[in-house]
Amino acid sequence: MVAVTTRLGMARRVVIKIGSSLLVDPEGGVLRRSWLEALAEDVARLRGRGQDVLIVSSGSIALGRRQLQLRDPVLKLEVSQAAAAVGQIRLAHAYQEVLAHHGIDTAQILLTSADTEARRRYLNARNTLNALLDLGTVPVVNENDTVATEEIRFGDNDRLGARVAEMISADCYILLSDVAGLFTADPRRDPDAELIFEVDEITPTIEALAGKAASADARGGMVTKIEAARIAVSAGCHVLIADGAAPHPLATIENGRAGTWFVPHANPRTARKLWIAGSLRPAGRLVVDDGAVAALHDGKSLLPVGVRNVDGPFERGDSVIVCRPDGREIGRGLVAYSSRDAERIMGHKSREIERLLGYRGRDEMIHRDDLALTRDIGGNETRRA
Ligand code: GLU
């Protein structure tokens, strides 16, 4: 198990969620500029060590509210969406400015819950985020508040951050807000309440502790934080809930005991493979040739040229079964093409894809990161698909 003080230091990919109350002064609604500058220094240090960093930041509504001088304590949905549209520009600009100071490029990504589900859009968002991280940028993600109606809203960035952590296979998710972590009782009422430093498993007892600490407005409260922790932990990610109000919150975390850590039981890669293999209902089947079977067992991606037969219908991003010419299943994966397009490109070289389909899709039919081989996750290959 990784020691508490080095968990953040050793992570390959870190997602940091910043709550509105840290970034925007709750009284005046203004941006806490010097706090943000200190955060940027922390982020630059992580980037300097070669760590990928992605920020999930709230604050657009709070900033827009001030700009538009909206005084109602509760805004109508369309008014808060309008406030988000005004505030988001300022929010993104602030990150861009403070990170540019360290020579870091910032990218803005706005997502809704539908974009993080395991379908076509999930693959799109995942590919873009991975490309941005590979290019060395720090993506700044927020919910796409202006188009997110009640049904498709997260409403809180804690869970959005967890989904993003899952999506990019992050190994560390830091939830910074004005709460210090999970306590044994409600610290506002019980002087004996103690901070819990580490949670090995999110049991009903842990959930009950979160429930007690929650305010009437549970959004962004401990209940959603625990839900977020559950999502990220089951994706193999370490999660920390910590108070980020003081300057240099990431340095503070690296230097000692801060907040509550939630410990995963698998690494992100294994967790993702198990998720692909176990929790998605396959929508179709690809029969591949012997050359492809050997390549897959060598850790390569599945290319269109190795596909012999397509059994649909399925959409891009669906889970499909991959099997040998004799019908034995060798694994499952998220397919990068719909069954219609897959049929048109099977047996062809990847460079022919654009000519055949009229657009330039991915080179792979199933990327190796999106593929779980039966033998790698402890199964045997005798089952007929
Ligand atoms: N997306 C909202 C905003 O940026 C915040 C949601 C949250 O704080 O969890 O204002």
PDB file of all heavy atoms in Angstrom, residues 202-218:
ATOM      1  N   ILE A 202     -16.039   1.492   1.713  1.00  0.00           N
ATOM      2  CA  ILE A 202     -17.172   2.369   1.993  1.00  0.00           C
ATOM      3  C   ILE A 202     -18.357   1.502   2.436  1.00  0.00           C
ATOM      4  O   ILE A 202     -19.120   1.001   1.631  1.00  0.00           O
ATOM      5  CB  ILE A 202     -17.497   3.247   0.770  1.00  0.00           C
ATOM      6  CG1 ILE A 202     -16.250   4.065   0.397  1.00  0.00           C
ATOM      7  CG2 ILE A 202     -18.684   4.173   1.061  1.00  0.00           C
ATOM      8  CD1 ILE A 202     -16.360   4.870  -0.864  1.00  0.00           C
ATOM      9  N   THR A 203     -18.445   1.309   3.736  1.00  0.00           N
ATOM     10  CA  THR A 203     -19.478   0.453   4.321  1.00  0.00           C
ATOM     11  C   THR A 203     -20.709   1.291   4.640  1.00  0.00           C
ATOM     12  O   THR A 203     -20.652   2.526   4.623  1.00  0.00           O
ATOM     13  CB  THR A 203     -18.943  -0.140   5.641  1.00  0.00           C
ATOM     14  OG1 THR A 203     -18.613   0.992   6.494  1.00  0.00           O
ATOM     15  CG2 THR A 203     -17.706  -0.981   5.436  1.00  0.00           C
ATOM     16  N   PRO A 204     -21.844   0.644   4.977  1.00  0.00           N
ATOM     17  CA  PRO A 204     -23.023   1.410   5.394  1.00  0.00           C
ATOM     18  C   PRO A 204     -22.722   2.331   6.587  1.00  0.00           C
ATOM     19  O   PRO A 204     -23.289   3.415   6.704  1.00  0.00           O
ATOM     20  CB  PRO A 204     -24.039   0.320   5.767  1.00  0.00           C
ATOM     21  CG  PRO A 204     -23.622  -0.860   4.937  1.00  0.00           C
ATOM     22  CD  PRO A 204     -22.127  -0.784   4.817  1.00  0.00           C
ATOM     23  N   THR A 205     -21.809   1.919   7.455  1.00  0.00           N
ATOM     24  CA  THR A 205     -21.447   2.771   8.606  1.00  0.00           C
ATOM     25  C   THR A 205     -20.812   4.072   8.110  1.00  0.00           C
ATOM     26  O   THR A 205     -21.122   5.158   8.614  1.00  0.00           O
ATOM     27  CB  THR A 205     -20.432   2.034   9.520  1.00  0.00           C
ATOM     28  OG1 THR A 205     -20.827   0.686   9.612  1.00  0.00           O
ATOM     29  CG2 THR A 205     -20.300   2.681  10.867  1.00  0.00           C
ATOM     30  N   ILE A 206     -19.925   3.965   7.152  1.00  0.00           N
ATOM     31  CA  ILE A 206     -19.278   5.156   6.596  1.00  0.00           C
ATOM     32  C   ILE A 206     -20.332   6.050   5.934  1.00  0.00           C
ATOM     33  O   ILE A 206     -20.351   7.269   6.113  1.00  0.00           O
ATOM     34  CB  ILE A 206     -18.200   4.738   5.556  1.00  0.00           C
ATOM     35  CG1 ILE A 206     -17.056   3.992   6.242  1.00  0.00           C
ATOM     36  CG2 ILE A 206     -17.683   5.926   4.760  1.00  0.00           C
ATOM     37  CD1 ILE A 206     -16.196   4.828   7.169  1.00  0.00           C
ATOM     38  N   GLU A 207     -21.246   5.419   5.205  1.00  0.00           N
ATOM     39  CA  GLU A 207     -22.297   6.207   4.557  1.00  0.00           C
ATOM     40  C   GLU A 207     -23.162   6.920   5.576  1.00  0.00           C
ATOM     41  O   GLU A 207     -23.562   8.059   5.386  1.00  0.00           O
ATOM     42  CB  GLU A 207     -23.178   5.300   3.697  1.00  0.00           C
ATOM     43  CG  GLU A 207     -22.521   5.011   2.377  1.00  0.00           C
ATOM     44  CD  GLU A 207     -23.259   3.974   1.570  1.00  0.00           C
ATOM     45  OE1 GLU A 207     -24.124   3.274   2.127  1.00  0.00           O
ATOM     46  OE2 GLU A 207     -22.958   3.880   0.377  1.00  0.00           O
ATOM     47  N   ALA A 208     -23.436   6.225   6.688  1.00  0.00           N
ATOM     48  CA  ALA A 208     -24.265   6.830   7.728  1.00  0.00           C
ATOM     49  C   ALA A 208     -23.551   8.046   8.337  1.00  0.00           C
ATOM     50  O   ALA A 208     -24.181   9.063   8.623  1.00  0.00           O
ATOM     51  CB  ALA A 208     -24.582   5.801   8.808  1.00  0.00           C
ATOM     52  N   LEU A 209     -22.237   7.959   8.487  1.00  0.00           N
ATOM     53  CA  LEU A 209     -21.476   9.105   9.025  1.00  0.00           C
ATOM     54  C   LEU A 209     -21.605  10.300   8.085  1.00  0.00           C
ATOM     55  O   LEU A 209     -21.768  11.436   8.512  1.00  0.00           O
ATOM     56  CB  LEU A 209     -19.989   8.748   9.155  1.00  0.00           C
ATOM     57  CG  LEU A 209     -19.605   7.781  10.261  1.00  0.00           C
ATOM     58  CD1 LEU A 209     -18.114   7.475  10.186  1.00  0.00           C
ATOM     59  CD2 LEU A 209     -19.964   8.365  11.626  1.00  0.00           C
ATOM     60  N   ALA A 210     -21.554  10.016   6.801  1.00  0.00           N
ATOM     61  CA  ALA A 210     -21.668  11.095   5.815  1.00  0.00           C
ATOM     62  C   ALA A 210     -23.051  11.719   5.881  1.00  0.00           C
ATOM     63  O   ALA A 210     -23.196  12.938   5.805  1.00  0.00           O
ATOM     64  CB  ALA A 210     -21.419  10.553   4.417  1.00  0.00           C
ATOM     65  N   GLY A 211     -24.049  10.869   6.047  1.00  0.00           N
ATOM     66  CA  GLY A 211     -25.430  11.346   6.100  1.00  0.00           C
ATOM     67  C   GLY A 211     -25.628  12.322   7.235  1.00  0.00           C
ATOM     68  O   GLY A 211     -26.253  13.374   7.082  1.00  0.00           O
ATOM     69  N   LYS A 212     -25.021  12.029   8.383  1.00  0.00           N
ATOM     70  CA  LYS A 212     -25.200  12.893   9.562  1.00  0.00           C
ATOM     71  C   LYS A 212     -24.557  14.252   9.362  1.00  0.00           C
ATOM     72  O   LYS A 212     -25.053  15.260   9.821  1.00  0.00           O
ATOM     73  CB  LYS A 212     -24.607  12.220  10.793  1.00  0.00           C
ATOM     74  CG  LYS A 212     -25.496  11.117  11.299  1.00  0.00           C
ATOM     75  CD  LYS A 212     -25.164  10.755  12.730  1.00  0.00           C
ATOM     76  CE  LYS A 212     -25.810   9.426  13.072  1.00  0.00           C
ATOM     77  NZ  LYS A 212     -24.843   8.317  13.043  1.00  0.00           N
ATOM     78  N   ALA A 213     -23.438  14.243   8.659  1.00  0.00           N
ATOM     79  CA  ALA A 213     -22.717  15.506   8.503  1.00  0.00           C
ATOM     80  C   ALA A 213     -23.354  16.393   7.435  1.00  0.00           C
ATOM     81  O   ALA A 213     -23.055  17.568   7.346  1.00  0.00           O
ATOM     82  CB  ALA A 213     -21.262  15.218   8.130  1.00  0.00           C
ATOM     83  N   ALA A 214     -24.239  15.805   6.625  1.00  0.00           N
ATOM     84  CA  ALA A 214     -24.778  16.573   5.501  1.00  0.00           C
ATOM     85  C   ALA A 214     -25.738  17.660   5.959  1.00  0.00           C
ATOM     86  O   ALA A 214     -26.476  17.497   6.912  1.00  0.00           O
ATOM     87  CB  ALA A 214     -25.501  15.627   4.548  1.00  0.00           C
ATOM     88  N   SER A 215     -25.708  18.757   5.252  1.00  0.00           N
ATOM     89  CA  SER A 215     -26.659  19.823   5.557  1.00  0.00           C
ATOM     90  C   SER A 215     -27.948  19.521   4.793  1.00  0.00           C
ATOM     91  O   SER A 215     -28.034  18.553   4.047  1.00  0.00           O
ATOM     92  CB  SER A 215     -26.072  21.146   5.102  1.00  0.00           C
ATOM     93  OG  SER A 215     -25.809  21.080   3.729  1.00  0.00           O
ATOM     94  N   ALA A 216     -28.958  20.373   4.964  1.00  0.00           N
ATOM     95  CA  ALA A 216     -30.234  20.146   4.301  1.00  0.00           C
ATOM     96  C   ALA A 216     -30.008  20.092   2.781  1.00  0.00           C
ATOM     97  O   ALA A 216     -30.589  19.281   2.076  1.00  0.00           O
ATOM     98  CB  ALA A 216     -31.203  21.254   4.662  1.00  0.00           C
ATOM     99  N   ASP A 217     -29.129  20.949   2.297  1.00  0.00           N
ATOM    100  CA  ASP A 217     -28.806  20.941   0.884  1.00  0.00           C
ATOM    101  C   ASP A 217     -27.634  19.988   0.676  1.00  0.00           C
ATOM    102  O   ASP A 217     -26.487  20.342   0.846  1.00  0.00           O
ATOM    103  CB  ASP A 217     -28.416  22.364   0.457  1.00  0.00           C
ATOM    104  CG  ASP A 217     -27.985  22.405  -0.996  1.00  0.00           C
ATOM    105  OD1 ASP A 217     -28.259  21.433  -1.719  1.00  0.00           O
ATOM    106  OD2 ASP A 217     -27.379  23.414  -1.388  1.00  0.00           O
ATOM    107  N   ALA A 218     -27.976  18.749   0.313  1.00  0.00           N
ATOM    108  CA  ALA A 218     -26.934  17.724   0.243  1.00  0.00           C
ATOM    109  C   ALA A 218     -26.020  17.908  -0.968  1.00  0.00           C
ATOM    110  O   ALA A 218     -24.980  17.284  -1.053  1.00  0.00           O
ATOM    111  CB  ALA A 218     -27.566  16.341   0.205  1.00  0.00           C
TER     112      ALA A 218
END
